[in-house]
């Protein structure tokens, strides 16, 4: 038997490496779910999953989400499901209703992820076909938003129930794998629609950067994301230890927290505020909260989203509903 095509070997190898990782160990032996749009990335992933799963003796369930946003979307979904069955996977089409909050892209993503989470087999990972190219685009979007290291740390390979085996695989490789396997990917017209920010990054910004920096930009952005993710994980672990020392019930010891480096202090504050029910925390909110610790001069606390206020009283920080009488001292 001749060796498999190099692109086919690449996608199969990427999936095997992810499934053999420590992060995926809790899911070993469980069925695999593959989110499939019918595009090249997800079809190549489904083909790799079918091949690997046969060797591992586990089932593969294809989940095709029909967003209903384009004429003929049901036909596209049915064709994707048909190709999944041809690969030896079970396949199911899930129809979702997409809202409009936060823009079409974000609303479609929320609807899709909610459906995949609800419909996956119990205890399974959901394999997503995000590639190295997608990771590079994500890093650039995070840079543009300016919302800190986490926003440019990109997507995680394993973030249960999600798993992304192709974050080190180029989009061109998934396309070549489909061609070698005789699969017919669907070309989503949204992927060439310049109204979407990601499309302009893909078709205008990244090619310009590649030209100006003489290539390798996508790989460099993906490496940067991995390095930042590792650094952020280490800082988050240290911040959790700090929080264990400075938290008492519903308050934080602001005096003890003042002695902690700012990067750790703000991580403690961010997680603590989120757990108090604050819906969204911007960098501006976080630094205003941090000033109650690092630059305390008797000032009042900042107003926070969700009609909350952060206050300092008797050397501690506490969150209150707006309108409560400020504590003394």
């Amino acid at each position: 038997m001749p060796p498999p095509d190099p692109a086919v070997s690449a996608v199969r190898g990427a999936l095997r490496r992810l499934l053999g990782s420590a992060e995926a160990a809790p899911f070993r032996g469980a069925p695999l779910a593959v989110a499939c749009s019918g595009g090249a990335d997800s079809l190549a992933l489904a083909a790799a999953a079918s091949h690997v799963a046969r060797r591992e003796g586990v089932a593969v369930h294809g989940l095709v989400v029909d967003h209903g946003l384009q004429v003929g979307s049901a036909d596209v979904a049915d064709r994707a499901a048909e190709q999944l069955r041809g690969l030896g996977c079970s396949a199911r089409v899930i129809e979702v209703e997409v809202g409009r909050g936060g823009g079409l892209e974000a609303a479609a993503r929320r609807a899709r992820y909610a459906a995949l989470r609800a419909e996956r087999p119990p205890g399974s990972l959901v394999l997503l076909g995000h590639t190295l190219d997608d990771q590079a685009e994500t890093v650039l979007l995070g840079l543009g938003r300016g919302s800190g290291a986490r926003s440019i740390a990109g997507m995680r390979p394993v973030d249960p129930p999600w798993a992304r085996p192709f974050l080190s695989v180029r989009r061109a490789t998934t396309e070549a794998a489909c061609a070698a396997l005789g699969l017919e990917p669907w070309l989503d017209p949204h992927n060439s629609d310049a109204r979407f920010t990601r499309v302009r990054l893909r078709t205008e910004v990244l090619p310009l950067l590649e030209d100006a920096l003489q290539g390798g930009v996508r790989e460099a952005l993906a490496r940067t994301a991995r390095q930042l993710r590792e650094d952020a994980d280490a800082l988050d672990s240290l911040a959790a230890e700090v929080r264990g020392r400075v938290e008492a019930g519903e308050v934080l010891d602001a005096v003890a927290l003042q002695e902690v480096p700012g990067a750790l202090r703000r991580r403690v504050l961010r997680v603590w505020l989120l757990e108090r029910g604050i819906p969204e925390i911007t960098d501006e909110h976080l630094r205003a909260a941090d000033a109650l610790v690092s630059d305390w001069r008797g000032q009042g606390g900042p107003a926070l989203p969700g009609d909350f206020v952060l206050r300092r009283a008797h050397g501690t920080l506490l969150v209150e509903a707006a309108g409560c009488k400020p504590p003394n001292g």
Side-chain angles (χ1 to χ4, degrees), residues 131-205:
T131 65
L132 183 147
D133 299 75
D134 295 309
Q135 185 76 299
E137 293 160 16
T138 299
V139 174
L140 283 180
L141 284 170
L143 282 169
R145 295 188 183 109
S147 49
R150 275 295 177 202
S151 69
I152 55 177
M155 298 173 281
R156 290 181 177 276
V158 180
D159 184 19
W162 319 114
R164 302 175 177 91
F166 288 175
L167 291 182
S168 61
V169 175
R170 291 294 305 271
R171 187 173 292 133
T173 302
T174 66
E175 293 169 351
C178 286
L181 293 168
L183 299 171
E184 298 178 5
W186 171 59
L187 301 177
D188 185 351
H190 281 173
N191 287 339
S192 58
D193 189 337
R195 292 177 300 169
F196 298 110
T197 304
R198 271 190 182 270
V199 172
R200 297 198 66 186
L201 286 176
R202 182 179 308 142
T203 60
E204 299 175 30
V205 177

Side-chain angles (χ1 to χ4, degrees), residues 7 14 27 75 122 198 230 245 287 290 302:
F27 301 90
D75 293 334
R198 271 190 182 270
E230 291 167 352
R245 299 198 303 269
R287 290 186 183 275
D290 187 46

Side-chain angles (χ1 to χ4, degrees), residues 21 23 94-95 106 115 217 224 249 257 262 271 276 295 306 313 319 325:
S21 68
E23 292 81 3
I94 308 164
E95 296 180 358
V217 170
T224 297
L257 194 56
V271 174
R276 304 274 82 71
D295 190 26
V319 174
K325 183 180 178 181

Side-chain angles (χ1 to χ4, degrees), residues 2 62 73 88 118 254 285 325:
S73 66
H285 293 134
K325 183 180 178 181

Side-chain angles (χ1 to χ4, degrees), residues 68-271:
L69 296 175
Q70 300 176 42
V71 175
S73 66
D75 293 334
V76 171
D78 288 342
R79 175 59 180 151
E82 180 184 339
Q83 293 201 79
L84 287 171
R85 295 184 187 107
L87 290 167
C89 310
S90 68
R92 187 151 49 93
V93 175
I94 308 164
E95 296 180 358
V96 297
E97 185 173 340
V98 177
R100 289 295 184 269
L104 184 61
E105 280 183 288
R109 184 169 55 251
R110 285 195 299 272
R112 178 169 64 254
Y113 275 54
L116 292 171
R117 185 185 290 273
E119 300 296 332
R120 70 187 178 104
S124 69
L125 284 172
V126 180
L127 304 180
L128 304 174
H130 296 123
T131 65
L132 183 147
D133 299 75
D134 295 309
Q135 185 76 299
E137 293 160 16
T138 299
V139 174
L140 283 180
L141 284 170
L143 282 169
R145 295 188 183 109
S147 49
R150 275 295 177 202
S151 69
I152 55 177
M155 298 173 281
R156 290 181 177 276
V158 180
D159 184 19
W162 319 114
R164 302 175 177 91
F166 288 175
L167 291 182
S168 61
V169 175
R170 291 294 305 271
R171 187 173 292 133
T173 302
T174 66
E175 293 169 351
C178 286
L181 293 168
L183 299 171
E184 298 178 5
W186 171 59
L187 301 177
D188 185 351
H190 281 173
N191 287 339
S192 58
D193 189 337
R195 292 177 300 169
F196 298 110
T197 304
R198 271 190 182 270
V199 172
R200 297 198 66 186
L201 286 176
R202 182 179 308 142
T203 60
E204 299 175 30
V205 177
L206 276 165
L208 178 61
L209 285 173
E210 293 281 1
D211 180 58
L213 298 176
Q214 300 180 12
V217 170
R218 292 172 176 84
E219 290 82 358
L221 289 169
R223 285 197 304 273
T224 297
R226 183 175 65 250
Q227 293 160 2
L228 282 169
R229 196 163 53 246
E230 291 167 352
D231 290 349
D233 287 346
L235 286 170
D236 286 347
S237 178
L238 292 172
E241 295 177 9
V242 171
R243 182 180 173 185
R245 299 198 303 269
V246 302
E247 186 175 25
E250 292 296 307
V251 302
L252 292 180
D253 184 339
V255 177
L257 194 56
Q258 185 176 6
E259 303 304 316
V260 176
L264 294 179
R265 191 170 60 234
R266 286 186 288 276
R267 276 172 163 76
V268 172
L269 286 168
R270 182 179 182 277
V271 174

